[in-house]
């Protein structure tokens, strides 16, 4: 006879593969092999409250190997999470079901991170662990108000993605000892054996990154898995536990890639149930032994944890109301920005770069809010975001209360995924920065943030061919538009101080949408033509003229170019309007009446030093670049591509003259 623990583990296996069978889609191999890992974690360690799945001080559990979704859902059901029912699992991988093909945090409370793109879960787990350490340093003055672990389940595929190495390097440097990776090491991946593509000594690799390494030879022995987790919780370093499992355990396809992503048929499941002693288990049913021997323990532990947290919070309110109010503000994810902070800052009618302006604006914000974290991919001196003037995270700094800067190193992808994890935790806002051309390295993380409704912020400087001497590798062409095409994501390209400040306000007020802010390296004339703008409309009339003959649309530094073009046109007695469009996506979402008002009824031209494709729907002439740039002085490159004020003015004048002739 099986013990109750083994019966629950086998129940998790059977329930998971039943869901996959009904959906005719899924990954049964990991569900059969890794069930003891999930059982050991939930039963003995994971501090969660099934009645309050989003309880703030809960342990976080990231399933980086997102194809193990059926096992996660089965475990949540067995643990009696109120956010999911057995009926939800019957709809596994069906349209609008809570039980989506890969875990989605916004769709199902109890899922701590949306995963699927392998490796990103590990990086987000690093971000979650950073958030826990930072918040505990701020709020644990009187008691352990914030005190929880971050666990991450992953397989070989996650470790093969470079982002895992990037993120683990940072975690080792920061000594994130409350971060524990549960490595499902079964030696098999979709195309065959892991050794077909990979040769690595995991123990030496992990230790070289400053991690603790533990090994569990028998992945079916949940007692040993649990003991390893207990040991990891007392480590002074982050820990990876390599657990040797059998993919497809209990099936005739065990230890084979044939069971990785192919559902078992009814006959095969019948054989598996027989082998596991589960013949009496009905389809999509929760037996009483699951509730009494598994769910009850988790629920009792979670309820006690919630009560303790609330008691500590009430005590904090009595002892230190200022710190209490600060926590409530963090808990509600409120990051206020007040105009009074910027009274001394005035960049009007001076030459400056928007990277410098954004750096000044952000530094002012940071002085007034310690719960904002910033960093760069080793280019803070260039992006002006973060840097040595701020206290940086390191294992040497024991208290992280006043730390705000993260040295990510040249790790763009990990940086963006880690800030996703920090923002996903709640209570903090995180910002990463690098050059716009290198946004390609991390676009997948922005995409996952948009899917997950994580309001992270990325700032990219060096925005166009004006980078000049660094050449086409550093001169972004298609990047701005490719970022604009990401759903549930807004890209801002501010021109002056007012637009920059309003872009940051929008970003910090965002609760479910990641924001990208693009800044320039080069200086250009700053003009504040209006005192205030409604940036939520995406565009506004920067310079008006009732006798206008042409409307010039521009964004970012090209607004300065539009001003210069308008002056040349004026010398030829051609009046123009200038429209600044800091956010093209927001403008395109506006009612048609507003868009018509902005675009006007005359010739419309657009100017942006990048791809022209997205401007074709709203302008008659597009001035931009659809080929790669050139290495040379900025002005020489601009003139080479005929994107200087004189060349643009000539084309506009020729177009207007042609119109006159045809009339």
């Amino acid at each position: 006879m099986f013990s109750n623990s083994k019966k629950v583990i086998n129940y998790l296996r059977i329930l998971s593969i039943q869901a996959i069978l009904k959906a005719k889609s899924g990954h049964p191999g990991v569900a059969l092999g890794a069930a003891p890992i999930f059982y050991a974690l939930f039963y003995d360690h994971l501090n969660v409250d099934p009645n309050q799945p989003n309880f703030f001080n809960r342990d976080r559990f990231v399933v980086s190997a997102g194809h193990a979704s059926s096992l996660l859902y089965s475990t949540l059901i067995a643990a009696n999470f109120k956010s999911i029912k057995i009926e939800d699992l019957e709809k596994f991988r069906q349209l609008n079901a809570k039980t989506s093909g890969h875990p989605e945090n916004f769709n199902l409370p109890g899922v701590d991170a949306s995963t699927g793109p392998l490796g990103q879960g590990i990086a987000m787990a690093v971000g979650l662990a950073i958030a826990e350490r930072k918040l505990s340093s701020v709020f644990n003055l009187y008691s352990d108000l914030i005190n929880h672990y971050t666990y991450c389940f992953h397989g070989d595929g996650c470790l093969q993605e470079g982002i895992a190495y990037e993120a683990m390097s940072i975690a080792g440097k920061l000594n994130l000892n409350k971060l524990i990776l549960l490595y499902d090491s079964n030696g098999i991946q979709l195309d065959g054996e892991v050794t077909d593509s990979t040769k690595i000594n995991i123990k030496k690799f992990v230790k070289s990154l400053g991690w603790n390494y533990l090994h569990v030879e028998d992945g079916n022995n949940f007692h040993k898995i649990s003991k390893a987790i207990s040991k990891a919780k007392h480590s002074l370093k982050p820990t990876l536990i390599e657990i040797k499992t059998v993919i497809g355990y209990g099936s005739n396809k065990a230890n084979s890639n044939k069971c990785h992503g192919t559902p078992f048929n009814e006959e095969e499941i019948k054989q598996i149930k027989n082998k596991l002693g589960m013949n009496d288990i009905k389809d999509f049913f929760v037996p009483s032994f699951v509730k009494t021997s598994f769910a009850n323990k988790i629920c009792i532990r979670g309820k006690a944890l919630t009560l303790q947290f609330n008691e500590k919070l009430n005590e904090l309110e009595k002892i230190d109301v200022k710190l209490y109010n600060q926590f409530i503000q963090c808990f509600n994810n409120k990051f206020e920005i007040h105009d009074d902070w910027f009274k001394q800052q005035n960049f009007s009618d001076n030459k400056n770069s928007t990277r410098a302006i954004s750096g000044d604006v952000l530094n002012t914000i940071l002085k007034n809010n310690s719960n904002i974290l910033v960093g760069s991919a080793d280019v803070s001196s260039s992006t002006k975001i973060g840097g040595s003037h701020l206290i940086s995270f390191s294992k040497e700094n024991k208290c992280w209360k006043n730390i705000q800067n993260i040295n990510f190193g040249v790790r763009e992808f990990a940086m963006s995924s880690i800030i996703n994890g920090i923002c996903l935790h709640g209570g903090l806002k995180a910002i990463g920065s690098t050059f716009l051309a290198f946004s390609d390295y991390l676009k997948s993380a922005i995409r996952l943030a948009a899917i997950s409704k994580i309001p992270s912020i990325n700032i990219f400087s060096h925005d166009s061919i004006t980078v000049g001497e660094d050449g086409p590798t550093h001169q972004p062409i298609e990047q701005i538009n490719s970022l604009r095409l990401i759903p549930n994501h807004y890209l801002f390209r501010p021109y002056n101080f007012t637009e920059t400040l309003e872009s940051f306000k929008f970003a910090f007020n965002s609760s479910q949408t990641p924001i990208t802010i693009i800044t320039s390296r080069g200086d250009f004339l700053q003009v504040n033509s209006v005192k205030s703008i409604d940036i939520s409309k995406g565009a506004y009339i920067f310079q008006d003229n009732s006798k206008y003959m042409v409307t010039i649309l521009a964004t970012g530094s090209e607004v300065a170019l539009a001003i210069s073009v308008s002056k040349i046109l004026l010398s030829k007695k051609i009046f123009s309007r200038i429209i600044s469009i800091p956010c093209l996506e927001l403008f395109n979402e506006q009612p048609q009446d507003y868009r018509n008002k902005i675009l006007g009824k005359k010739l419309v031209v657009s100017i942006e030093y990048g791809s022209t494709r997205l401007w074709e729907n709203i302008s008659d002439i597009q001035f931009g670049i659809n080929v790669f740039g050139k290495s040379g002085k900025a002005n020489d490159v601009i003139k080479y591509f005929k994107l200087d004020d004189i060349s643009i003015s000539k084309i506009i004048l020729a177009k207007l003259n042609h119109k006159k002739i045809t009339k």
Side-chain angles (χ1 to χ4, degrees):
M1 291 292 292
F2 291 123
S3 67
N4 274 342
S5 294
K6 287 188 176 180
K7 284 175 67 177
V8 174
I9 290 170
N10 287 338
Y11 169 76
L12 295 177
R13 288 167 163 153
I14 296 304
L15 183 60
S16 299
I17 62 174
Q18 284 175 341
I20 293 169
L21 170 64
K22 185 163 187 179
K24 295 182 174 58
S25 174
H27 300 78
V30 66
L32 290 172
I37 300 175
F38 279 61
Y39 177 86
L41 176 65
F42 274 76
Y43 187 68
D44 286 332
H45 300 282
L46 197 68
N47 286 320
V48 291
D49 186 350
N51 289 309
Q52 298 185 51
N54 288 332
F55 166 56
F56 193 78
N57 195 38
R58 71 189 184 279
D59 288 339
R60 267 59 172 186
F61 179 40
V62 179
V63 181
S64 186
H67 53 280
S69 59
S70 66
L71 178 57
L72 175 60
Y73 303 145
S74 295
T75 307
L76 294 178
I77 290 169
N80 203 25
F81 270 67
K82 74 172 187 178
S83 56
I84 184 172
K85 305 291 185 186
I86 194 75
E87 293 79 15
D88 294 314
L89 191 59
E90 291 189 78
K91 300 174 184 176
F92 178 55
R93 289 192 164 219
Q94 304 308 303
L95 184 65
N96 294 325
K98 290 182 179 181
T99 49
S100 49
H102 287 82
E104 296 174 354
N105 64 290
F106 60 90
N107 194 32
L108 176 59
V111 173
D112 284 324
S114 297
T115 53
L118 296 180
Q120 287 197 53
I122 291 178
M124 285 191 287
V126 172
L128 289 165
I130 289 173
E132 191 277 340
R133 175 80 67 82
K134 167 68 176 177
L135 290 171
S136 64
S137 293
V138 173
F139 296 112
N140 288 6
L141 184 61
Y142 306 102
S143 66
D144 290 339
L145 183 68
I146 305 298
N147 181 16
H148 54 263
Y149 287 87
T150 300
Y151 301 94
C152 178
F153 172 83
H154 66 90
D156 292 286
C158 290
L159 290 182
Q160 288 172 356
E161 290 286 358
I163 188 175
Y165 161 74
E166 294 179 21
M168 290 175 69
S169 297
I170 294 170
K173 170 63 179 174
L174 298 184
N175 222 40
L176 299 173
N177 63 301
K178 294 172 82 172
L179 172 63
I180 299 171
L181 301 190
L182 304 170
Y183 172 24
D184 177 31
S185 177
N186 58 44
I188 301 294
Q189 54 193 108
L190 184 58
D191 282 348
E193 296 185 7
V194 171
T195 53
D196 292 342
S197 63
T198 303
K199 182 180 181 181
I200 188 171
N201 185 313
I202 290 293
K203 181 178 181 179
K204 290 182 179 179
F205 170 73
V206 168
K207 283 182 170 290
S208 73
L209 297 177
W211 282 60
N212 178 37
Y213 171 86
L214 298 174
H215 182 84
V216 177
E217 182 61 34
D218 182 4
N220 271 316
N221 192 324
F222 68 91
H223 291 298
K224 290 186 177 180
I225 296 171
S226 182
K227 286 180 181 179
I229 295 173
S230 293
K231 191 173 181 180
K233 287 162 73 174
H234 291 92
S235 172
L236 298 177
K237 300 176 181 180
T239 299
L240 180 143
I241 306 173
E242 182 175 9
I243 305 165
K244 300 302 291 184
T245 63
V246 177
I247 189 172
Y249 176 82
S251 75
N252 57 10
K253 295 177 182 176
N255 276 319
S256 165
N257 64 323
K258 293 179 181 179
C259 65
H260 174 83
T262 303
F264 294 113
N265 59 39
E266 291 185 9
E267 183 58 34
E268 288 173 315
I269 290 181
K270 185 178 179 180
Q271 292 172 359
I272 295 169
K273 289 175 72 173
N274 183 58
K275 187 170 184 178
L276 297 179
M278 291 281 110
N279 287 325
D280 58 338
I281 298 298
K282 299 177 183 177
D283 291 352
F284 298 103
F285 177 75
V286 183
S288 59
F289 71 81
V290 173
K291 297 177 182 177
T292 56
S293 64
F294 185 66
N296 285 354
K297 183 178 179 181
I298 298 168
C299 290
I300 291 170
R301 185 171 66 229
K303 185 177 180 180
L305 188 73
T306 306
L307 290 173
Q308 289 172 12
F309 177 80
N310 290 333
E311 288 172 1
K312 291 175 182 179
L313 193 58
N314 290 334
E315 284 298 312
L316 179 61
E317 184 179 17
K318 295 174 184 176
I319 298 170
D320 192 334
V321 68
K322 184 178 179 180
L323 189 61
Y324 171 82
N325 289 333
Q326 184 182 346
F327 174 78
I328 295 302
Q329 190 173 28
C330 285
F331 180 79
N332 292 322
N333 290 310
K334 288 187 177 180
F335 306 91
E336 296 180 352
I337 299 177
H338 300 288
D339 290 336
D340 291 347
W341 300 347
F342 305 93
K343 282 186 176 179
Q344 304 302 317
Q345 292 174 283
N346 186 358
F347 301 95
S348 183
D349 298 325
N350 292 312
K351 277 197 168 184
N352 209 335
S353 64
T354 45
R355 67 169 174 170
I357 294 172
S358 67
D360 288 338
V361 167
L362 183 56
N363 285 337
T364 299
I365 295 171
L366 291 172
K367 287 177 184 177
N368 290 277
N369 195 325
S370 63
N371 291 332
I372 298 171
L373 309 181
V374 300
S376 80
D378 198 45
V379 287
S380 62
S381 60
S382 294
T383 64
K384 308 302 180 186
I385 303 301
S388 58
H389 64 287
L390 298 170
I391 304 175
S392 295
F393 285 79
S394 72
K395 64 182 178 182
E396 289 76 22
N397 291 327
K398 301 300 181 183
C399 179
W400 286 11
K401 181 178 180 180
N402 297 315
I403 291 175
Q404 291 185 286
N405 186 68
I406 306 176
N407 293 314
F408 286 106
V410 188
R411 302 183 179 105
E412 293 89 353
F413 193 6
M415 173 185 70
S416 193
S417 285
I418 288 171
I419 69 169
N420 284 348
I422 293 170
C423 293
L424 184 61
H425 183 282
L428 297 169
K429 182 73 80 170
I431 302 171
S433 69
T434 187
F435 295 172
L436 178 56
F438 305 147
S439 64
D440 290 329
Y441 283 121
L442 58 84
K443 184 184 172 189
S444 180
I446 298 178
R447 183 177 187 271
L448 191 55
I451 290 172
S452 307
K453 300 182 181 180
I454 301 172
S456 52
I457 302 173
N458 287 277
I459 299 178
F460 302 126
S461 69
H462 294 54
D463 62 346
S464 71
I465 56 172
T466 57
V467 173
E469 296 91 336
D470 282 331
T473 60
H474 284 53
Q475 295 172 10
I477 302 299
E478 76 283 8
Q479 281 80 7
I480 290 179
N481 278 352
S482 69
L483 291 168
R484 283 175 174 148
L485 290 172
I486 300 174
N488 189 41
H489 166 262
Y490 292 117
L491 180 145
F492 289 86
R493 194 164 178 239
Y495 158 64
N496 55 20
F497 168 75
T498 301
E499 291 187 12
T500 302
L501 177 56
E502 292 302 318
S503 296
F504 274 103
K505 285 182 182 178
F506 191 97
F508 280 98
N509 284 328
S510 176
S511 61
Q512 295 189 334
T513 303
I515 304 297
T516 291
I517 298 175
I518 308 294
T519 64
S520 73
R521 183 185 75 167
D523 295 346
F524 52 88
L525 184 64
Q526 300 288 310
V527 176
N528 283 298
S529 63
V530 294
K531 291 184 178 180
S532 64
I533 61 173
D534 183 0
I535 207 164
S536 66
K537 293 184 181 299
Y540 67 99
I541 299 172
F542 180 87
Q543 176 181 296
D544 207 357
N545 192 304
S546 60
K547 299 179 181 179
Y548 78 97
M549 301 171 68
V550 58
T551 295
I552 305 174
L553 312 178
T555 181
S557 57
E558 282 80 274
V559 175
L561 176 59
I563 293 171
S564 182
V565 169
S566 71
K567 289 178 180 178
I568 294 174
L569 295 177
L570 183 60
S571 70
K572 304 296 183 181
K573 302 197 183 305
I574 300 295
F575 301 103
S576 59
R577 305 160 74 230
I578 297 176
I579 306 300
S580 178
I581 306 185
C583 184
L584 183 60
E585 306 96 286
L586 282 172
F587 175 65
N588 286 334
E589 291 176 1
Q590 300 310 305
Q592 191 63 48
D593 288 349
Y594 181 78
R595 297 177 69 219
N596 290 342
K597 174 186 173 183
I598 291 295
L599 296 175
K601 298 181 179 179
K602 302 295 177 67
L603 179 70
V604 179
V605 303
S606 61
I607 306 175
E608 184 171 56
Y609 286 157
S611 171
T612 64
R613 300 296 184 239
L614 295 185
W615 295 99
E616 293 173 357
N617 291 333
I618 60 173
S619 60
D620 302 304
I621 304 175
Q622 298 83 39
F623 294 100
I625 177 170
N626 293 308
V627 296
F628 293 119
K630 292 278 188 180
S631 180
K633 299 293 183 186
N635 287 335
D636 292 339
V637 174
I638 290 168
K639 288 179 180 179
Y640 175 85
F641 288 108
K642 296 185 177 2
L643 292 173
D644 58 291
D645 53 0
I646 294 174
S647 298
I648 290 173
S649 300
K650 284 181 179 179
I651 294 174
I652 293 173
L653 287 168
K655 182 69 174 179
L656 289 171
N657 187 52
H658 175 71
K659 279 193 171 185
K660 288 181 181 179
I661 294 171
T662 55
K663 285 182 179 180

